[in-house]
Each structure stands twice: as C-alpha cells, then as structure tokens.
C-alpha cells in the first residue's frame, strides 16, 4: 500500500502515476530486478543526518552508490547515514526498510543525483516492500523542480567505501 504521506504528496501536485506490485525484496537494486526495471531507472533513497540532527534525503540510481564526500562538499555540512530508528521515526507511515523518494512529503530537504534527470521513466518506493511507483521524467521533474541537483553517486566498483 502506498504510504499516506507519499500518496498525498502526489495528489497535491496533480501528478499521474502508475503503481505495480513486485515480489517483496529489500534494497532498491533487488526491487528493480524483481520488477523487471533497469536499475539505473529505479530510485534509491538514502536518508542522512548532519551534526545538528538535520535530515537530508538523497535520491540516486539503484545501480550506483552514494558518495558522502560529494554530498558533504555540495552542502558544506557533515552527514552520516541515518540509523534504523531515525528512518522509522521520519517515515512513520512506511514499512520498515522502505524509504520513499520524496523527502518533501515528510518535510525533509532533498537532493537529486543528476543521473536521474536523463531517464525517460523512473521507478520508486511506494512506502512498502511490494509496490513501485512509475513516473515519467516530466512528472518527476514537476515533483522535484525545487530540489538541488548534482553528482552525488558513483558506480560501486570505483570506491567501495561509498554507501
């Protein structure tokens, strides 16, 4: 079931979207494979927290890894990965482990990896472990037009210390 906050956010912006089920999987890459979606078009959402306990959501392609170095450099802040209790508290209406892509639906600052801005279709967590939302690039842009963009990810084989 789509998380209520995500569903309200989508409806508030008048965006058309499709939802489809997939076998339960953990991890965006596994969900992409189970859904027969190219991993480069599946959004992996990563929740971070800085030294002042301010949260940041970063959206990257599922086939890439987050570069904390690039996020910290871009934001001029020092972030770490949010822990499970922080994730559960922020995404209170989601299944544990299902981090939705739209931080603004939860009043969380959000960054977009540039790699997502060139895909014709994008897929993202619906807030549970068994549904994926499909959006066109135009719909995605409508929902994220005010989010800063940058290069926040690398391919996994470049630097294994990235998330």
């Amino acid at each position: 079931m789509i998380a209520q906050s995500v569903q309200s956010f989508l409806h508030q912006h008048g965006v058309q979207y499709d939802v489809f089920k997939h076998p339960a999987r953990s991890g965006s890459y596994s969900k992409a494979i189970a859904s027969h979606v190219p991993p480069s078009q599946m959004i992996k959402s990563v929740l971070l927290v800085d030294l002042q306990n301010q949260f940041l959501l970063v959206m990257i392609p599922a086939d890439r890894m987050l570069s904390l170095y690039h996020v910290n450099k871009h934001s001029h802040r020092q972030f770490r990965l949010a822990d499970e209790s922080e994730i559960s508290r922020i995404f209170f209406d989601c299944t544990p482990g299902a981090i939705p892509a739209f931080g603004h639906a939860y009043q969380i600052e959000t960054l977009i990896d540039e790699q997502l801005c060139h895909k014709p279709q994008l897929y993202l967590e619906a807030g549970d472990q068994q549904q994926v939302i499909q959006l066109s690039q135009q719909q995605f842009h409508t929902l994220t037009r005010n989010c800063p963009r940058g290069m926040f990810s690398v391919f996994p084989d470049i630097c294994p210390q990235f998330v």
Side-chain angles (χ1 to χ4, degrees):
M1 184 169 182
I2 298 177
Q4 184 60 46
S5 299
V6 173
Q7 192 169 33
S8 295
F9 180 75
L10 293 167
H11 287 277
Q12 175 186 356
H13 288 85
V15 169
Q16 298 288 323
Y17 60 93
D18 292 316
V19 178
F20 59 93
K21 287 189 167 247
H22 63 81
R25 299 282 191 274
S26 65
S28 300
Y29 189 88
S30 296
K31 286 178 185 147
I33 299 302
S35 303
H36 307 287
V37 169
S40 65
Q41 291 179 256
M42 177 69 81
I43 296 173
K44 179 189 333 183
S45 299
V46 183
L47 186 65
L48 305 174
V49 61
D50 69 9
L51 298 173
Q52 289 74 41
N53 289 320
Q54 297 296 309
F55 291 95
L56 174 70
L57 186 83
V58 185
M59 289 189 247
I60 65 173
D63 65 343
R64 297 175 67 95
M65 299 190 83
L66 180 72
S67 167
L68 281 173
Y69 171 80
H70 288 106
V71 171
N72 290 341
K73 185 176 177 184
H74 172 85
S75 65
H76 305 289
R77 292 154 66 189
Q78 189 67 34
F79 284 97
R80 65 167 173 79
L81 288 174
D83 63 34
E84 288 299 321
S85 66
E86 292 166 324
I87 292 169
S88 294
R89 189 176 77 234
I90 296 297
F91 303 115
F92 57 90
D93 59 348
C94 297
T95 301
I99 300 176
F102 300 112
H104 288 122
Y106 297 86
Q107 289 72 51
I108 301 292
E109 179 184 0
T110 303
L111 298 179
I112 311 293
D113 190 275
E114 283 288 336
Q115 297 296 314
L116 295 172
C117 300
H118 309 290
K119 307 296 180 189
Q121 298 290 317
L122 291 167
Y123 303 84
L124 53 120
E125 291 271 2
D128 67 6
Q129 296 288 3
Q130 295 186 339
Q131 294 187 86
V132 172
I133 296 171
Q134 178 185 6
L135 297 171
S136 70
Q137 182 58 236
Q138 182 179 0
Q139 294 160 330
F140 180 73
H141 180 74
T142 296
L143 294 168
T144 63
R145 69 176 157 258
N146 296 323
C147 297
R149 285 150 168 74
M151 296 303 292
F152 305 117
S153 67
V154 296
F155 282 110
D157 60 341
I158 293 176
C159 292
Q161 74 269 21
F162 293 102
V163 179

